[in-house]
Amino acid sequence: MRYFPAALERLTEQFARLPGIGGKSAQRLAFHVLSMDDAAAAEFAAAITDAKATVKTCPICQNLTDQEQCSICADEERDHGQICVVAEPKDVIAMERAREYRGVYHVLHGVLSPLNHVGPDDLRIKELLARVADGSVREVIMATNPDTEGEATAMYLSRLLRPMGVQVTRLAYGIPMGSQLEYADEVTLLRALEGRQEI
């Protein structure tokens, strides 16, 4: 027996397909959309359609943009000789939030993951190699997550980039502010020791 109209069930199913949205959250979102007035619902639908139609990848760094190239690549005040490699576009937002990095980025759109059938050809690696091959890049910073796939991706890329005469570095990882040493795992402690600095 069906408890809700078919259209509401379809809407719930679509929300449930989004990452991090379970069945109850999907149902709550679907009910919220139904409670919107017609103008708000139309604006919501139009925003989805507009984003799908206009957002594309930057031909240089592979970040998301609605222009010919993204605002970071177009900014002549950025250091174009320093490329920070990240896994996803949302990682660019995280790095920019710190307001310290003044170089440019390269977005891979994933990480190597043999278990999920993601290999080198599934990532934007060729585009990175082409950027470095022109000779204007002096440093590539690996900023993939400090997990198994992120580490494997960073190591794979460093092996490809080193023969090109570019410096390849890795973000330092360690003990987060506000935490306690007794709760840190061995890998985090090792990274913290390796990335120590003089004070």
Side-chain angles (χ1 to χ4, degrees):
M1 184 193 324
R2 203 165 64 203
Y3 295 101
F4 299 111
L8 178 57
E9 287 187 1
R10 279 197 306 275
L11 182 58
T12 302
E13 287 168 10
Q14 291 304 311
F15 278 123
R17 292 173 66 181
L18 297 173
I21 304 293
K24 288 186 178 181
S25 293
Q27 194 175 66
R28 200 166 37 253
L29 290 169
F31 277 111
H32 179 75
V33 168
L34 285 183
S35 72
M36 294 175 165
D37 61 42
D38 290 349
E43 191 176 335
F44 183 72
I48 294 172
T49 305
D50 184 48
K52 281 299 292 176
T54 61
V55 176
K56 58 189 177 193
T57 56
C58 173
I60 299 169
C61 72
Q62 311 304 309
N63 195 9
L64 300 178
T65 185
D66 58 358
Q67 305 296 315
E68 285 301 311
Q69 59 181 257
C70 75
S71 59
I72 294 173
C73 287
D75 186 349
E76 294 181 9
E77 293 184 16
R78 305 286 295 224
D79 182 355
H80 291 262
Q82 189 177 54
I83 297 176
C84 181
V85 177
V86 297
E88 301 291 347
K90 62 185 176 186
D91 299 330
V92 172
I93 297 168
M95 290 290 292
E96 285 296 291
R97 211 177 297 131
R99 298 182 182 186
E100 289 296 319
Y101 180 66
R102 296 302 305 155
V104 293
Y105 296 92
H106 189 85
V107 182
L108 297 172
H109 291 273
V111 288
L112 296 174
S113 179
L115 291 175
N116 295 317
H117 309 292
V118 179
D121 293 337
D122 300 309
L123 305 178
R124 305 294 172 91
I125 294 173
K126 283 183 258 183
E127 293 86 348
L128 173 64
L129 297 177
R131 288 177 76 182
V132 174
D134 80 1
S136 63
V137 177
R138 65 180 187 287
E139 181 185 12
V140 176
I141 303 166
M142 295 297 158
T144 53
N145 287 332
D147 54 20
T148 306
E149 287 96 358
E151 290 290 328
T153 304
M155 293 305 295
Y156 177 80
L157 291 175
S158 69
R159 284 197 297 273
L160 293 176
L161 292 167
R162 284 194 200 287
M164 301 173 88
V166 65
Q167 180 186 16
V168 182
T169 59
R170 183 87 167 110
L171 282 186
Y173 294 103
I175 313 297
M177 290 296 289
S179 66
Q180 297 177 9
L181 281 178
E182 64 182 297
Y183 300 117
D185 61 86
E186 294 84 6
V187 175
T188 301
L189 284 170
L190 175 63
R191 288 286 184 201
L193 283 168
E194 287 175 345
R196 68 189 185 277
Q197 297 176 340
E198 186 174 341
I199 56 171

